[in-house]
Structure formats: C-alpha cells, structure tokens
Amino acid sequence: MLNWIISGDRPRSRILAAVLIIILLGLLLAPFVFPGTRSLAVAARICVLIVLVASYDILLGYTGIVSFAHTMFFGIGAYGVAIALNALGPSWGAVGLGTVAGVAVSIAAAAVIGLLSLRVRAIFFSMITLAVASFFLILASQLSFITGGEDGMSFRVPRMLTPAFKLFEDEIFGQRFNGRLVAYYLVFISSLVLFLFMLRVVNSPFGRVLQAIRENDFRAEALGNRVVLYRTAASCLVAALAALAGVLNALWLRYTGPDATLSFAIMLDILLMVVIGGMGTLYGAVIGVVILSLAQFYLQDLMGAASSALAGIPVLPELIAADRWMLWLGILFVLSVYFFPTGIVGKLRER
C-alpha cells in the first residue's frame, strides 16, 4: 500500500527515510507540538514551498530546463484567488473560480512561452523566461487598480478559514481548533496530495521520457518522442502546480503582493533549495525547503543568542552577530555545494 502511495519511489536510504518521516510527522502535528503563531506560519510556508520547489525540480532536475518564470506562475495563482475574493466576496465559489482562472492563465502562458521558445537553445529559453517574468512583475506593480500595485492586496477569506470560526467547542491537546488550524490543515493536506501526485508523474512513462530528454534530447527525438511537445507539456504541468501553490499561499496569508509572490529573491531561494536538496529527486526538494526555511527563520535568533552567550570573548561575538546571518547562510550554501555536489539526497543514497 505504501509502495503504491509513493509510486514505488522509495527513499533508498534509511537515514533519508527517517528524516522524511520526521518531517511528515512534524508538519502533521505542528499546531500541537510547536504551538505559537510563528511556528505555525513557518510550517505552512514549508508546506507551500515543498509544492513550489518540487514542481520546479520536475522542470530543472527531471527535464533539464532552466526557467526563471516559476515565481510568475506562483504569482498568477495567488493574484487569481485574491482578485476573485476581492470582487465576489469571501466565498468558496470565489476561491474555486479564482483557482481555476489562475491555473488556466498559467497553463496558457506556459504553453505560449514553451511553443515559441523551447525550440531554441536552452540559454535563450532561460533569457526569455527571465524577460517575461520581469514584464509580469512590472505589470503587477503598475496595474494598481486590479492588483493593488506595490502595496499588494489584502482580502477576506471564507469564514471557515478565519480565527473567529471554531470547528470544535472543546480543546484538542490543549489547542482550540479554530479557523487558522482549518486553514493550516487545508494547506498541509493539499500540499501532501500535490506532492504525491508529482511523485506519480515523475515515475510514470511521461516522467521517464522527460528524463530521457534531459539526458540526450537528440536520441529521445530519434526514438520517436516529440521533444518540444513533451517539454511544453512539462512546462504547462509545473505552471499549474506553481499556480496552486500560489493559491495556498494566498489563502494562508490572506494577502498577496509583488514581494510575497513575484520577487526574484523567491526564485533564488527556489534554486538554492533544489541544489541543496539534490536535483532530479523530489525528496531533495523537501529536504532543501526544510533546511533553508528553518535557517531563514531561526538562524538569526540562534546567532543572536550565541553572540550574547560569548560576550566575554574577543572577536567571536562580532563574527556571529545576529545581523550577519545572511553571510553565514551564504557560507552554508557554498559548503553544502562543495561537500554535496549531488545534493543531500544524492549523498545519502550513495552510502
């Protein structure tokens, strides 16, 4: 049964399997094991990013396509549901309409970009996606009467997802099961289903053709596979998945804006997470997301506490001061690439 659920894609490492189980249980029980608003926000962000980063890995790690437009599709999904909720009011109908519209626009945009530019060399495709993503970022900032401009959009969500809603009157393990927990489990379950769907895709005949194209596109074409169509189909699929991640992110935050969804800093984070976890393995996306997200949220606090504890020692407190957390995060990235060129998952599978 478990083998069917994970599409026969076993972790192939006991350590990796143990880490993945810990992450799954940690996210499942996060509201009860790690109480607090910040911890819940971190857990929800990890769930959303797992979908976003794993979908990008299908494009980069499994198909060999470098795209810089992934955050654009993420933003289209978020803006789709935000505009629908703003225009139609906080209802599930608006959520459904916004989701369908965001996914449809993302697929259409990915199909147009793919059919027009996937015939050219990879570097030109990357440049085209970068140009299109930049154009959409400017568009979202300029069309303030629709998108809220630089300030973004705050909107109301269905009452079931608000803190005022109570699913149960009594507390469960010391926690009131209010609308925020409903929203969290909506994000968690949706992310889990989408991740299992992606495992199914990469282990299907379609996924094997994508890997063949990544290894040698001329040979794959000679075997009768229409490379451009397969690449375009993969682009459309990951665009739809990125849009769904954007919908989940918008429903959780009840806000969307250029910095929250379309920023190139997010695209850089996605690349780092894929590389750190290991390209061409969806489990690597999970590991990369968890490591980088925890570092981004907690490394600064940890360094601040360590700096205070070492106050009597010369030089050292200055080196690990809280405001230097980005420096140490960069060093951590360089070391991880140096010692784990195939990513953490690749290294664990070599053992």
Side-chain angles (χ1 to χ4, degrees):
M1 182 66 179
L2 178 62
N3 197 51
W4 180 81
I5 292 174
I6 61 175
S7 305
D9 194 344
R10 294 176 176 273
R12 284 181 280 155
S13 163
R14 291 183 179 178
I15 297 175
L16 177 59
V19 172
L20 291 172
I21 290 171
I22 292 171
I23 292 172
L24 177 63
L25 292 177
L27 292 174
L28 175 64
L29 303 173
F32 307 101
V33 179
F34 310 108
T37 306
R38 190 184 186 196
S39 302
L40 199 61
V42 174
R45 181 174 172 77
I46 287 174
C47 292
V48 171
L49 284 179
I50 284 175
V51 177
L52 186 63
V53 176
S55 62
Y56 187 70
D57 194 34
I58 293 177
L59 205 59
L60 179 64
Y62 284 87
T63 316
I65 299 173
V66 180
S67 168
F68 294 105
H70 209 56
T71 50
M72 180 183 78
F73 303 123
F74 184 56
I76 289 174
Y79 274 107
V81 76
I83 292 170
L85 284 168
N86 225 13
L88 304 176
S91 66
W92 289 107
V95 172
L97 183 63
T99 302
V100 171
V103 170
V105 171
S106 296
I107 291 174
V112 171
I113 295 171
L115 290 173
L116 293 179
S117 57
L118 276 173
R119 298 175 188 275
V120 299
R121 296 177 63 182
I123 184 66
F124 296 121
F125 173 76
S126 303
M127 293 300 103
I128 289 170
T129 58
L130 183 61
V132 173
S134 301
F135 171 75
F136 190 82
L137 176 61
I138 295 170
L139 199 66
S141 301
Q142 296 295 318
L143 298 178
S144 56
F145 61 98
I146 299 175
T147 63
E150 295 285 349
D151 296 330
M153 300 173 68
S154 295
F155 51 87
R156 292 188 298 160
V157 294
R159 188 173 179 277
M160 184 180 282
L161 304 180
T162 62
F165 177 80
K166 291 181 183 177
L167 188 61
F168 303 112
E169 288 298 326
D170 299 328
E171 292 186 352
I172 300 177
F173 299 116
Q175 286 285 329
R176 289 195 178 279
F177 213 103
N178 61 14
R180 289 304 281 166
L181 290 194
V182 174
Y184 173 75
Y185 280 108
L186 173 67
V187 171
F188 170 76
I189 293 171
S190 301
S191 301
L192 182 61
V193 170
L194 289 173
F195 183 78
L196 293 175
F197 170 72
M198 284 186 271
L199 274 180
R200 184 74 64 186
V201 168
V202 298
N203 290 288
S204 68
F206 175 74
R208 294 189 187 94
V209 173
L210 295 184
Q211 293 173 59
I213 292 171
R214 177 197 63 193
E215 296 300 323
N216 191 321
D217 55 345
F218 292 108
R219 186 172 295 174
E221 186 86 41
L223 289 172
N225 299 304
R226 302 185 70 176
V227 172
V228 173
L229 290 183
Y230 271 98
R231 283 177 169 166
T232 304
S235 298
C236 293
L237 175 67
V238 301
L241 291 166
L244 290 173
V247 170
L248 295 176
N249 192 57
L251 288 177
W252 172 255
L253 295 177
R254 291 176 286 175
Y255 166 82
T256 191
D259 291 337
T261 53
L262 299 169
S263 167
F264 284 105
I266 299 175
M267 192 66 238
L268 184 60
D269 286 346
I270 293 172
L271 282 168
L272 290 178
M273 290 168 183
V274 170
V275 172
I276 289 174
M279 287 191 293
T281 162
L282 295 186
Y283 297 129
V286 177
I287 302 294
V289 166
V290 171
I291 290 177
L292 205 60
S293 296
L294 292 180
Q296 287 175 335
F297 277 92
Y298 296 110
L299 184 61
Q300 189 174 14
D301 295 343
L302 192 64
M303 289 178 61
S307 179
S308 301
L310 300 173
I313 301 174
V315 182
L316 201 54
E318 289 297 322
L319 282 177
I320 59 173
D323 57 357
R324 290 194 171 84
W325 73 278
M326 286 290 286
L327 170 67
W328 289 101
L329 187 62
I331 293 174
L332 176 68
F333 171 66
V334 172
L335 291 176
S336 66
V337 172
Y338 183 79
F339 288 107
F340 307 110
T342 57
I344 294 173
V345 170
K347 191 69 177 178
L348 288 174
R349 285 179 167 174
E350 291 172 3
R351 293 168 66 91

